């Protein structure tokens, strides 16, 4: 596990991701805690796509894929699975830290007299954590799958970015509604009883499972 951590979490990647979250919390203004998740989810989706795209492609770039071909697909899947879990856990930790950074840097605005301290902030944070976890898994696996299929890092990032642009837009919200992968971002924050955004997260989970099921075939054919 330590070896996999060194491979997929080099200093430049971890430092860049951490700086990205901190800078976002400094420059992206919010007026209430309900807007923190809206600010973080789309940004963390892009970060996950860029962060996880090279999970297996780095073996192709380094030339180690020829050695990997000698191992059974099951063994390769175990390694890729461990690498994805390590990266997703790090991104989830950053997402949680990013939520706190907004309070740290913009607490005066969030807790102004126009917006008193919200009741149930812990519950709101836990809901955010669940939603962002699904988002990170979906976009991380998506970029990794496309990159492995095309054997190219930039195809993975670019393909994910195209879907991001299409879904994170007014047209995407209007056409897909609660089925949008960014349903949490576009939810009605004034109506806490409206849980229709869970449909979009369900779509993310189903797509993630489908991509994971397809990975063994992709690694066998394209690895």
């Amino acid at each position: 596990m330590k070896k996999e951590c060194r491979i997929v979490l080099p200093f430049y990647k971890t430092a860049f991701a951490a700086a990205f979250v901190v800078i976002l919390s400094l420059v992206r203004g919010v007026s209430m805690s309900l807007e923190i998740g809206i600010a973080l989810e789309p940004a963390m989706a892009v970060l996950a796509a860029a962060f996880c795209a090279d999970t297996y492609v780095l073996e192709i770039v380094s030339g180690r894929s020829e050695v990997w071909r000698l191992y059974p697909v099951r063994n390769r899947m175990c390694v890729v699975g461990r690498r994805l879990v390590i990266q997703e856990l790090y991104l989830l930790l950053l997402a949680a830290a990013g939520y706190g950074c907004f309070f740290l840097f913009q607490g005066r605005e969030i807790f102004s007299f126009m917006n008193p301290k919200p009741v149930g902030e812990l519950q709101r944070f836990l809901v955010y954590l669940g939603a962002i976890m699904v988002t990170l898994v979906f976009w991380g696996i998506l970029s990794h799958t496309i990159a492995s299929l095309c054997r190219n890092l930039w195809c993975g990032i670019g393909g994910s970015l195209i879907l991001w642009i299409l879904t994170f837009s007014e047209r995407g919200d209007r056409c897909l509604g609660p089925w949008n992968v960014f349903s949490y971002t576009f939810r009605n924050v004034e109506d806490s009883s409206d849980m229709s955004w869970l449909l979009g997260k369900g779509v993310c989970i189903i797509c993630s499972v489908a991509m994971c099921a397809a990975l063994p075939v992709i690694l066998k054919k394209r690895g």
Side-chain angles (χ1 to χ4, degrees), residues 30-31 35 58-59 70 81 99 101 116 127 140 168 202 209:
V30 297
S31 57
E35 297 178 358
L58 58 87
E59 301 296 338
L70 303 177
Y99 197 96
C101 285
V127 170
F168 184 58
V209 172

Side-chain angles (χ1 to χ4, degrees), residues 12 20-21 23 34 46 48 70 82 129 132 159 164 180 205 216 218:
Y12 76 90
F20 176 84
V21 172
I23 293 173
L34 286 169
V46 173
L70 303 177
R82 285 198 298 268
L129 211 57
I132 203 70
W164 186 92
N180 195 334
I205 293 173
I218 294 174

Side-chain angles (χ1 to χ4, degrees), residues 3-218:
K3 179 182 178 181
E4 303 300 341
C5 287
R6 289 196 297 269
I7 292 174
V8 298
L9 294 180
F11 176 76
Y12 76 90
K13 281 182 67 174
T14 56
F16 167 79
F20 176 84
V21 172
V22 172
I23 293 173
L24 178 67
S25 63
L26 284 169
V27 302
R28 175 64 161 84
V30 297
S31 57
M32 60 182 67
S33 61
L34 286 169
E35 297 178 358
I36 297 178
I38 295 174
L40 277 170
E41 187 187 30
M44 292 304 299
V46 173
L47 182 61
F51 205 83
C52 299
D54 66 346
T55 302
Y56 178 70
V57 173
L58 58 87
E59 301 296 338
I60 298 174
V61 175
S62 64
R64 294 193 297 266
S65 62
E66 297 301 323
V67 178
W68 272 52
R69 289 175 182 268
L70 303 177
Y71 292 96
V73 175
R74 182 177 179 180
N75 292 17
R76 283 183 273 172
M77 279 299 301
C78 288
V79 174
V80 169
R82 285 198 298 268
R83 291 181 178 182
L84 283 173
V85 169
I86 291 170
Q87 292 177 104
E88 296 290 359
L89 287 176
Y90 177 73
L91 290 172
L92 183 61
L93 179 63
L94 277 184
Y99 197 96
C101 285
F102 273 91
F103 282 99
L104 178 64
F105 299 126
Q106 303 187 44
R108 182 175 298 179
E109 288 75 15
I110 294 174
F111 294 142
S112 66
F113 71 94
M114 293 294 292
N115 179 41
K117 187 173 182 179
V119 177
E121 189 59 52
L122 177 60
Q123 291 88 337
R124 191 170 292 126
F125 170 71
L126 292 176
V127 170
Y128 156 79
L129 211 57
I132 203 70
M133 179 172 62
V134 174
T135 297
L136 293 173
V137 169
F138 170 74
W139 289 98
I141 293 179
L142 176 65
S143 66
H144 163 65
T145 302
I146 297 175
S148 298
L149 186 62
C150 300
R151 297 174 59 89
N152 187 283
L153 167 68
W154 298 109
C155 285
I157 297 175
S160 301
L161 185 59
I162 291 173
L163 180 62
W164 186 92
I165 293 173
L166 293 175
T167 52
F168 184 58
S169 63
E170 291 185 7
R171 178 172 295 181
D173 180 37
R174 186 169 57 253
C175 294
L176 299 174
W179 299 95
N180 195 334
V181 294
F182 286 116
S183 57
Y184 176 78
T185 296
F186 292 118
R187 76 193 191 283
N188 183 7
V189 295
E190 297 180 356
D191 185 5
S192 59
S193 63
D194 181 13
M195 303 298 289
S196 61
W197 59 270
L198 289 173
L199 294 172
K201 293 305 150 189
V203 171
C204 291
I205 293 173
I206 293 173
C207 291
S208 298
V209 172
M211 287 185 287
C212 286
L215 274 178
V217 178
I218 294 174

